[in-house]
Structures are given as C-alpha cells and as structure tokens.
Amino acid sequence: MPFLLAPGPRRRRLPPPPTTPESACRPGRSGGPGGESGPSPHRSTFRPDIEGLRAVAVLAVLAFHAGIPGTAGGFVGVDVFFVISGYLITGLLVREAITTGRIRLGDFFSRRARRLLPSAAVVLAAVAVAGAWLTVPLLRADLEQDVLAAALSVANWRFVSQQTDYLAAGHDQSPLLHFWSLAVEEQFYLAWGPLLAVTVLLTARAVRRGRAVRAVVALAATALGLASFALSLHWTRDSVSLAYLGTPSRVWQFAVGAMLALLPWHLLRGPRPLRLVCGWAGAAAIVWCVVAYDATTPYPGYAALVPTLGTAAVILAAIPGRGEREVQGALSVGRLLAGRAPRAVGRLSYNLYLWHWPVLVLAEARLGALGWPAKAALTLAAVLPALATMRWVERPLRRSRTVSELPRRGLAVGVSAIVLPIVLALVVGTTTLHLMGPATPVDVKGLPPGAATGPSLLARTDGSPLAGGPTVPSPAQARKDFPPDGACQVAPAATRSPECLFGAVDSPDRVVLLGDSHAGQWFSPMLALASRRGWALQELVKQGCPLPELTVKNPQLGREYRECDTWRADALERVRTGPTPRLIVIASLNRYTADRELLVAAWEKTLKPLRATGTPIVYIEDTPVPGTDIPACVSGVPEEAAGCAFDRAEALPADPLARRIAAGAVPGVRSVGVNPVLCPEPGPTCPAVRDRVLLYRDDAHLTNVAAIVLTPRLERLLTASGALPPAAASGPAVTPPPPAPEPGADGWSVLLRDDFDGPAGGRPSRANWSHDLGTCYPGCPAAQWGTGEIETMTDSTDNVRLDGRGVLEIVPTRKDGRWSSGRITTVRSDFAPPPGGVLRIEASIALPDVTGPKAAGYWPAFWTLGADLRDGYTGWPGVGELDVMESVNGRDTVFGTMHCGVLDGGPCEEPVGLTSGPQACADCRTRFHTYAVEVDLSPGAEEVRWYRDDRVFHRVRADAMDAGTWKRTVDHGLFLILNVAIGGKLPLADGATAGPATEPGHPMRVDHVRVATRAPAG
C-alpha cells in the first residue's frame, strides 16, 4: 500500500508547513534592564537570521518533494520549523508574562488566527474547487474529507488513521497531506499557550517573577520534552505513522526550541570563535541530513536529533550575550542567513509551502507521473499563487488596524477562514457522493452465479455477453468490500491470531486458510466450500506478512517486521499441534523479494512443517496486482472501464512456487489458479472489470464480490485436484468416509433427525444448526434479506431457544422500537435425493399463536435453498428454493411454494413462484402439524410434493419447465432454514405489515426436524 511517511522511491516523507509567527518578522522591544537582549524576557530584537533559516528549511522540503537528486533527506525541514516555532512562541509568551504579569490568550490566538488561517483557507478553498475538475469522483470524495480535516486542524490524525489501515491500501497521494504539520503546529499553540497562562497565574506573586516563570516553564518543557522523545523512540520502533505524524511524538522538538528561549543564554559572553563554530556546525548538520538521510533512515527516532540540535545550534550561535547587541560576524552563518535573498524566501515560505504540494499532486493527477525537472518547474511556478496570497490576503489582514484592534475580530477572521473551506468541501463532496451513489452494502442480486468453467467470469447459459449496467460493486462500495471476517486479518503489531473459527465450529473437520491479506481475500469462498461440507473454517492471516519464511521491513512500523516472524512461527505450530485439518489452503503476495532463489528457499522452510501434518495442501496462485487505485480509476470512466486496464507483465510476474509445484518439485502440495479468468490471454493488459464485476478494491486485492463469484471455479479446481471431496461425498475426517445410513424397515435412510432435546433456555445443537445474523447474508448481497424484512436476526436465546421439553422456539422480540428474531440453517447443505430416488424433508411445527392486528407482519417459515447459494448467496432463484411451509399476518392458512428459473417471469412465474396458495388450517396456531416436502426423481414420476400431516396439498411436476431449469432447481444439495421474519414484501402483499399494534413475543414452535432419502426400488 502507498505509505506516505517514509522517504524513498515509492514513499514521500512530508515536511510541516513552515509557519512564521509574526514576532519573527517584526522588530519589537519590551521594557527591562538594558544589558540583556535576544530571548531574554527583558528585551526582544528581530532575528533576520531566523527568517533566513526558515528559507533553508522550506527549500530543503521543496527540493525533496520535487525529487531533485541529492535531497532525499529534505524532509528534515519539518524538524527545523518545529524548533523555530518552539523558540519564537515560547519567547513571545514568556516576555509578555514577565512584563505584564499575565498572558492574554485572546490576543495570542487572535494573532495566530489572522496570521495563519486566512492563507490556509485560500489554499483549501482552491483545492476543494480544483479537485472537482482535476480528480476522479472517488478521489474527489476523499479529498473533500481531507479539506474538512485540514480546516479543523486535525489533518495529521486523519492521515495517521489512513496510513495505519493496511486493508485500505492503494489510495493516491492527497493534495493536502502537507497540512499534517500545520495541524501539529496548531495543536501545539492550543495546548502550550494555555499551559503557560496557567503557569503564570500560579507564579504571579513570586518575588522574582521573571525567574520564577522561566524556571517553572523550563521544568514543564523539560518534562514534556523527555516524555515526548521517549514516546517518539517507541513509536518509531512500532508505528512509524504515529511517530512521524502524531503530535505527542513531536512535542520534544518544540521543547528544544522552548529551552533556547527559557534558559539564561543571554547572561553568557561566549567567545566569538566558539559561536562561529557552533553556528556553522549546526548548519552543516542540517545540510548533511538533507543529503545523507533517505528511505532507509528510521525516522524520527534518534535520527531526528541531528537536524533538531543543528537548528538549535544555529539559533543559539546568534543569541547576544551580556552587554552585546550584535553578534553576527562577517564569517558567521547568521550573516549569510540574514541576507536579502534568504529573508525574501523566508517571508514567503509559509505561503509557498501551502501552495507547492497541491500544485504538484493535482498536476500529476491530471497529467500522470512526472519527472523531477517537471516537478521542479511546477514548484517554481507555485511562487506565483504564494506571492498573490501573501500580498492580498496575509499582509492586509495582519496589518489591518480594524482587525487587530480587538481580539474578537481576529478570532472572527479565523473562524471565517475555517468555515469557508468546510462549506465548499461539503457542497462539492455532497455533489460527488450524489453522482457516485452511496457506499451502501453490495447488492449482487442482479448478477448470475459465478461460472465454474469457461472464459467468462459469470455463468450464462446461452453464452451471450452480459447486459450492460453499473459495476458491482460500485467504485464507492468497492473501497469497503472486504471479506466479512471481522478482526481475523490481524494488524502488524499483533503476534498471534485469535481462534477465528467460522461455519460448523463444532465439527472435527476444518479447512485452514493461511497467509497474508492475499490469502484473506479468499475467506468468503473458503467459508462457503467448508460450510457445504459441514466443516469449520479457521483463518490464520496477518497483514503484510509473507507466508514464506522471509524477514522483511514493514512500512507501517518503519523497521524490520519482527512481529511477522513471531506470528508465522506461532501459526505453523498451531497447525502442526492442533486438530488435523482436512485441507490447508495457502496464499501470499509474491513480491516481498525480487530474489527468486531466496523466495523458493523461504517457501520450502514454511512448507516443510505443513507437509509433515499429512494434510492436503493447496497453493492458490497470487492474483494480479494492478499497482494503481482501480476503484478511483473506474469512478472516473464508469462507462469505459476498459481504460483502467493495467499491464499484464507488471501485474502477473512469474510465480516460482507455482512453477515448481507444476514440475513436481514440491511433493504434497497442489496448485490452483484463477488468473486465466481474471486476466485472460492473449493481450498485454488485464481488465479492471469483467462481466460488470469490479475486480479490485484497491491496488492489489480482489473485491469480496469478485472472490464470491469465483467460488464455483475454485471448488471445481480444488475437487479436480483431489484436495477437496465433492460436497455430497464429504464425511468425517477419515479415509474413506463412512457409508450412508442403512435403510430402515420403511426403506428410508435418515440423514438428519433433531428432536431439540436439551435444557430450557439452551441453544440448538451446533453440530446441526448455525445462525444467520444481522439483516443480510455474508457480504450483504441484498439488504433486509432481499425481502424487505425489518428485523435483525440474532443468536440470542431471547430469540432462539429450547424450552426444555423437546421443542425449539423462535421468538420475535421488540425493544426500543427495534425488532429482532431468529433464523437458523442446517450446517449441512448436501441434502439431495439419490439418483432416481426421493428426498423427504419434514418438521413438526406450531405457528405463532397470535392473530388479527397483533399478528400484522408475522412471517414464520420452514424452507430450503440450493447449496450453491452459499457460494456467495448469488444466483437466486436459479439455484432453487422450496418453501415447505409459510404463513403470514397470523392468518389461519399455510402454503408451499417453489422458486426457480429467472428473477422476472420464467417457468416459476417469479417473483411469486409456483405456489399452492393459502390452505386453510384453523388449528395450526394451537396444535403441532407435520409439514413435509418430497423431491421425487423416480423415472416417470419426477415431481416435488408438499404435505401437511401426510396429505398432499401441492405438487410441481418436472414437465412444468424445461429440463435444465428442473435440474438446477432440485437435483443438487439443499440446506434447511427455520425462521420468523417480521414485515417485508409478502406480508405487505397480503395487506398488512408490522406496526405499533403488532405484538412481539409469540414463538414459532418446532417439535422436530427430519431429513431422509429413499433409493429407487430394485
């Protein structure tokens, strides 16, 4: 992922905005003994050398951003500015405290506001407007959020949160990233001024006020500085984004400047040669850092001491001693810095810094990547708007008597400067979001299921191209389309994964998904494949951590990734010593090293303990890495997504592990890959969108939608490789699997029987049932379960529980106006009729005992879905749905329905389906009745029959539709569902929906569920 904090070929380190407190630019005096000068609390003199020092700092920063060779360490300009700010602000406040006995915070903040905020507001407003023209919609939406953060002086914390979020990788540089340093400065002002004011208040009656104030403030600055430096060292080791951008880790640099203003240097009469050496040594240290530091320098940490102390040395060298008024000799560095040219640049530095970075970033957003000569020219061109802003915004407001007369007027100017860019950002951002559409959960309802074979991503029976339409997910949705695995892709600082078991967690059989985030992107398909077989899925995944045994540097931590080595060893040991998995699936980014021999050796070290388990191991070849922000690109050309295709050679380099596996050099490991459909040959590029599916959520990872539609293909590849048994043939973790149950006297073989025995308030058996939670299926392919229901499904025993007498209760409840209920599904999804035989599914059910207005919106149901739906919950109704029993709104009727074919019309007359219509049942609420469906594939008698108490009340024959639709509807595995919904389309179509009169707390009661098959006679 782009990491904006560390300097280097891909990462650009950002300096702070060179702030210029007005006290540094104007001469001024305060009363006191005439023998003291400089930072003494008794007299202050304008320091032209500091104005020139600011020029050195900003030029270093600008050269670094322009990529001028030899300036890779120009980011140290940030340290120079922070020391200068600490020195000037502390000196200004302490002089005021000593001469007046108090600090007027209103005046202080008024000066800061009218000096700094108007220029920043002009830049923010310009960026907000220019971004609407120069950036694509998705980046524009991000940019307007950056404007809000920058205007509120919290930009550094926004960028900290972005840079520490590895899974939000691939975003382009922000034109306002440089505002992080201005935010740090503003936060320093907001804290340091009041702290000094309180200190002055506490020491106001001291006999020697000046000495008391300086002593207490010096102690506070020393304590804060030491604590901040210790924190900076810690964060530099563990979180480089916090260390570089966080205010607490930068306070020590302000404290160094503060100590220069507080300690009695003015009482010293230092030898001029020593001053000369001190000044030039400090300047040389700064220049050396600019030239010598680069991306490999751990920063800030100890390395920041050199430019910080170098800046302090330059400032200290020009502080007049006792009785001195001028210490700048002809050969001093201060004389050079006080020259006309450095001072001119220093006066412009704040506005130049504000303008140059947006000019560079927006130009590259429009023109593409630029070389350093072009960027240097653009940086030079930024002088024009900087001069205009200084001439017509900064100076008039700073010098205005009307504004400066009363503090509240300066503060009003500052507030206006904050409000203006916020309003612009909200207007532009809202318009952009309206154009893109909201980033709501993904709805894949209109997509066909994924294709298991062939060149197309999605299955199309007639082979025709998929009809046009918006991409799924949309670019805004793609950014958030992550696997629904919670916190199981552990962050860089973690050294151990949690248990992270999904699916049939009580099953002795499990699939282990192991690797980095490129393994984590396969979570949804692996969960679907495991669930179809009644297995559990264990996910052991760590962000940015290569599964091959390589030691790498983590850009977020800014150092060697020791946590990765610890995590990898722990994960391998857990696989080796834990329950033996049925299958181990591994995947990893293969770009952690360019040394192929080293990579092969590292893989061998990792695979050795995995092979020792005797478990089948499958390596999923790494998917294409676009290297560019795909959702942002597609948002700019939604109708011509082909323009976002990327170079095949760069995106799909040779995979040495896959080649060795294919050559038989890695025994015990199989290799599968889906790249032929993600990046089909021939052609020099890979697509960003296929069959309307937006494939990538950033610059490297698949969207969860793409992974879901690849599930059938992965299942075919895994079963064909012999690593995964077919779903219908799976069994316990033994070889071979046990035979099917022996037929009973009636010829039926029982596959499932649950009488719901257990203690009152207990949960249904986890071996048989799992809970659907929330308001949609995993990945949220359709909100509100696709039917408009209003309840939230939970696994609470308030909603799903045993009654202690062999009955399961599913209870809808309402709390604070919000409905919740229960929805359980069988762990197994392989319930299917044997070839030419019959499948029977039955349950004994008593409906919720509520009727009339109190029952409005009640929707109890016992039903099935085709197993393929668990491969991402797409493809309905083609995968088949058999509603064994439904009832709505408390009516004394029940009905059964088959759903099949296509969404609108078709052989099943969707969306209504082939329904029995209401069947009268006056006592279905007060008594248990047995509801059943039989799928009969007997030759010549192919049909589905619905029963209540062994009386057929509805049937659908195979000849009601074409053979292909019939087979896709019934001739495959099914899973069962029991639930009570509230509200939705069906109750509304019946004339009622949940309202204030609807009464919660009435359960659907289930005495037993039974699934059995009968083989054909003979």
Side-chain angles (χ1 to χ4, degrees):
M1 61 180 283
F3 195 78
L4 309 179
L5 309 178
R10 278 194 70 196
R11 320 292 185 210
R12 285 175 274 188
R13 196 181 298 273
L14 299 175
T19 55
T20 313
E22 58 185 323
S23 59
C25 305
R26 290 287 173 270
R29 289 180 176 274
S30 57
E36 297 176 348
S37 61
S40 164
H42 306 294
R43 185 172 65 186
S44 175
T45 304
F46 171 57
R47 291 282 302 269
D49 59 314
I50 289 182
E51 195 167 59
L53 183 59
R54 292 168 52 240
V56 171
V58 76
L59 289 175
V61 169
L62 267 58
F64 167 61
H65 281 170
I68 296 175
T71 61
F75 54 84
V76 300
V78 69
D79 309 81
V80 177
F81 288 122
F82 286 166
V83 175
I84 291 174
S85 289
Y87 173 73
L88 294 174
I89 293 298
T90 304
L92 181 148
L93 293 173
V94 170
R95 278 191 296 273
E96 180 182 3
I98 292 173
T99 55
T100 67
R102 63 193 180 99
I103 293 176
R104 294 181 293 273
L105 290 178
D107 286 346
F108 172 70
F109 287 122
S110 176
R111 290 193 298 268
R112 301 280 73 72
R114 69 174 187 265
R115 166 67 182 91
L116 301 174
L117 297 183
S119 294
V122 170
V123 174
L124 291 176
V127 169
V129 174
W133 173 50
L134 296 173
T135 60
V136 296
L138 193 55
L139 295 183
R140 190 183 313 153
D142 292 339
L143 176 58
E144 302 311 326
Q145 295 184 47
D146 294 345
V147 171
L148 293 176
L152 295 172
S153 296
V154 292
N156 61 323
W157 297 113
R158 169 166 168 79
F159 296 125
V160 164
S161 66
Q162 288 182 335
Q163 297 314 310
T164 55
D165 184 0
Y166 177 84
L167 294 181
H171 297 195
D172 288 346
Q173 302 262 32
S174 169
L176 297 176
L177 190 54
H178 64 320
F179 266 75
W180 76 268
S181 55
L182 180 57
V184 170
E185 294 252 7
E186 294 290 352
Q187 292 160 29
F188 166 67
Y189 298 151
L190 289 172
W192 193 235
L195 179 61
L196 264 61
V198 172
T199 301
V200 171
L201 183 65
L202 296 176
T203 58
R205 296 186 178 182
V207 176
R208 304 189 66 178
R209 186 171 58 205
R211 180 172 300 176
V213 169
R214 279 182 287 148
V216 174
V217 175
L219 286 174
T222 301
L224 288 173
L226 291 174
S228 171
F229 185 66
L231 185 62
S232 176
L233 296 179
H234 173 69
W235 279 351
T236 300
R237 288 192 301 269
D238 296 328
S239 178
V240 71
S241 60
L242 273 173
Y244 198 88
L245 299 175
T247 305
S249 61
R250 292 292 190 168
V251 166
W252 70 275
Q253 296 178 303
F254 294 102
V256 169
M259 296 305 293
L260 291 174
L262 292 168
L263 296 182
W265 309 104
H266 59 284
L267 298 180
L268 301 176
R269 187 192 299 273
R272 288 186 181 273
L274 183 59
R275 293 175 182 270
L276 190 69
V277 172
C278 179
W280 280 109
I286 296 171
V287 173
W288 179 80
C289 292
V290 171
V291 175
Y293 285 3
D294 57 21
T296 64
T297 306
Y299 213 80
Y302 288 109
L305 281 170
V306 181
T308 301
L309 297 181
T311 304
V314 173
I315 295 174
L316 182 62
I319 295 178
R322 186 193 303 270
E324 295 179 322
R325 292 184 177 275
E326 174 63 46
V327 298
Q328 303 289 6
L331 300 178
S332 68
V333 69
R335 178 62 59 87
L336 177 65
L337 294 174
R340 179 175 298 179
R343 288 179 56 194
V345 176
R347 284 192 294 273
L348 185 63
S349 59
Y350 178 57
N351 287 287
L352 181 57
Y353 182 81
L354 289 177
W355 277 105
H356 87 283
W357 183 250
V359 168
L360 287 175
V361 174
L362 291 174
E364 286 197 316
R366 192 70 173 180
L367 304 174
L370 302 173
W372 74 263
K375 289 197 286 188
L378 287 169
T379 302
L380 186 61
V383 171
L384 296 177
L387 282 169
T389 305
M390 184 175 69
R391 169 67 179 82
W392 288 304
V393 177
E394 176 190 318
R395 284 180 176 173
L397 288 172
R398 195 178 67 195
R399 296 175 178 177
S400 170
R401 290 186 178 182
T402 302
V403 174
S404 60
E405 187 177 19
L406 296 174
R408 65 173 178 267
R409 293 175 182 171
L411 293 174
V413 169
V415 171
S416 301
I418 293 172
V419 170
L420 173 64
I422 287 177
V423 171
L424 279 173
L426 290 175
V427 171
V428 176
T430 302
T431 304
T432 301
L433 290 176
H434 178 73
L435 291 173
M436 289 195 306
T440 53
V442 181
D443 184 357
V444 296
K445 188 175 180 180
L447 289 178
T453 61
S456 297
L457 185 65
L458 300 179
R460 298 193 290 281
T461 56
D462 58 359
S464 61
L466 192 67
T471 63
V472 180
S474 70
Q477 292 171 323
R479 281 279 176 83
K480 301 179 180 180
D481 195 26
F482 302 112
D485 55 357
C488 285
Q489 296 194 41
V490 296
T495 56
R496 180 179 172 84
S497 287
E499 191 65 16
C500 288
L501 279 176
F502 300 87
V505 296
D506 291 334
S507 171
D509 303 325
R510 66 179 59 182
V511 177
V512 173
L513 179 61
L514 180 63
D516 63 3
S517 59
H518 280 234
Q521 68 186 359
W522 298 116
F523 170 82
S524 293
M526 290 302 109
L527 178 58
L529 299 185
S531 297
R532 285 192 63 187
R533 290 153 178 80
W535 300 353
L537 173 69
Q538 183 175 29
E539 184 183 28
L540 300 175
V541 167
K542 183 171 175 61
Q543 301 171 12
C545 178
L547 186 57
E549 196 169 315
L550 294 167
T551 298
V552 296
K553 182 176 180 180
N554 182 273
Q556 294 166 272
L557 303 177
R559 56 165 172 78
E560 185 178 284
Y561 201 0
R562 298 185 295 272
E563 291 82 354
C564 172
D565 299 333
T566 304
W567 174 88
R568 186 193 305 112
D570 176 77
L572 294 175
E573 180 65 13
R574 289 168 68 178
V575 174
R576 186 184 69 83
T577 59
T580 302
R582 291 291 299 270
L583 175 65
I584 300 173
V585 177
I586 60 174
S588 180
L589 180 70
N590 260 332
R591 294 170 178 249
Y592 293 101
T593 178
D595 188 333
R596 294 183 59 182
E597 293 184 2
L598 177 63
L599 181 61
V600 168
W603 269 117
E604 184 57 34
K605 293 177 183 177
T606 296
L607 291 172
K608 184 177 180 180
L610 294 178
R611 287 201 300 263
T613 65
T615 299
I617 303 169
V618 173
Y619 169 64
I620 302 181
E621 298 173 23
D622 197 18
T623 50
V625 176
T628 188
D629 190 341
I630 292 297
C633 179
V634 173
S635 75
V637 287
E639 304 301 326
E640 299 179 11
C644 296
F646 47 92
D647 183 70
R648 169 195 292 275
E650 289 291 327
L652 275 177
D655 189 327
L657 179 59
R659 291 189 175 186
R660 285 176 54 79
I661 293 172
V666 190
V669 182
R670 304 162 176 86
S671 176
V672 300
V674 294
N675 290 334
V677 73
L678 291 177
C679 189
E681 296 184 280
T685 61
C686 300
V689 176
R690 287 212 73 193
D691 286 350
R692 285 179 45 209
V693 175
L694 180 51
L695 298 176
Y696 303 94
R697 69 171 187 254
D698 48 36
D699 65 345
H701 300 89
L702 295 176
T703 60
N704 194 49
V705 170
I708 286 171
V709 298
L710 285 166
T711 301
R713 191 175 298 266
L714 272 176
E715 181 167 27
R716 178 184 61 81
L717 293 170
L718 291 170
T719 53
S721 71
L724 189 70
S730 62
V734 295
T735 303
E742 289 294 329
D746 58 358
W748 290 98
S749 299
V750 178
L751 304 181
L752 170 70
R753 172 82 189 204
D754 197 329
D755 292 301
F756 300 111
D757 294 323
R763 300 175 184 272
S765 167
R766 290 186 178 180
N768 293 335
W769 303 95
S770 62
H771 290 266
D772 282 340
L773 302 177
T775 59
C776 52
Y777 291 107
C780 215
Q784 297 176 285
W785 304 106
T787 59
E789 302 165 27
I790 63 173
E791 83 290 338
T792 298
M793 295 298 186
T794 81
D795 60 358
S796 168
T797 53
D798 290 341
N799 297 119
V800 183
R801 61 180 177 247
L802 304 178
D803 73 347
R805 298 187 297 273
V807 172
L808 171 74
E809 295 182 333
I810 301 180
V811 192
T813 61
R814 182 173 59 199
K815 184 177 182 181
D816 298 328
R818 298 179 180 273
W819 285 92
S820 61
S821 189
R823 175 183 173 122
I824 61 172
T825 69
T826 54
V827 170
R828 293 182 61 174
S829 60
D830 58 350
F831 300 127
V838 183
L839 170 72
R840 179 180 172 89
I841 298 168
E842 70 176 43
S844 178
I845 298 174
L847 298 180
D849 191 10
V850 60
T851 190
K854 294 180 180 181
Y858 266 73
W859 183 4
F862 173 47
W863 49 302
T864 77
L865 284 171
D868 284 347
L869 205 71
R870 277 185 170 166
D871 295 345
Y873 297 94
T874 63
W876 186 93
V879 296
E881 174 181 327
L882 301 177
D883 300 326
V884 187
M885 185 286 303
E886 291 185 274
S887 180
V888 294
N889 295 328
R891 300 194 186 282
D892 291 330
T893 58
V894 294
F895 52 90
T897 307
M898 173 189 286
H899 292 282
C900 70
V902 295
L903 283 172
D904 296 308
C908 274
E909 302 172 10
E910 298 299 343
V912 175
L914 300 178
T915 180
S916 67
Q919 304 290 307
C921 185
D923 61 352
C924 282
R925 291 180 288 103
T926 56
R927 292 181 55 192
F928 284 96
H929 291 267
T930 299
Y931 302 89
V933 67
E934 288 183 355
V935 181
D936 189 346
L937 300 186
S938 304
E942 292 183 278
E943 65 177 8
V944 178
R945 297 179 292 272
W946 280 258
Y947 297 81
R948 188 179 80 236
D949 298 329
D950 292 325
R951 182 182 67 82
V952 175
F953 68 89
H954 181 48
R955 66 178 75 223
V956 176
R957 295 186 57 81
D959 57 13
M961 61 197 70
D962 62 274
T965 299
W966 172 258
K967 184 176 180 65
R968 287 190 297 274
T969 304
V970 300
D971 194 5
H972 51 64
L974 301 170
F975 61 95
L976 280 53
I977 307 167
L978 287 161
N979 73 281
V980 178
I982 297 294
K985 298 174 183 177
L986 194 56
L988 187 61
D990 184 63
T993 191
T998 306
E999 189 172 273
H1002 297 281
M1004 178 175 78
R1005 296 176 294 157
V1006 186
D1007 178 73
H1008 77 266
V1009 172
R1010 178 177 182 267
V1011 182
T1013 59
R1014 186 174 62 195

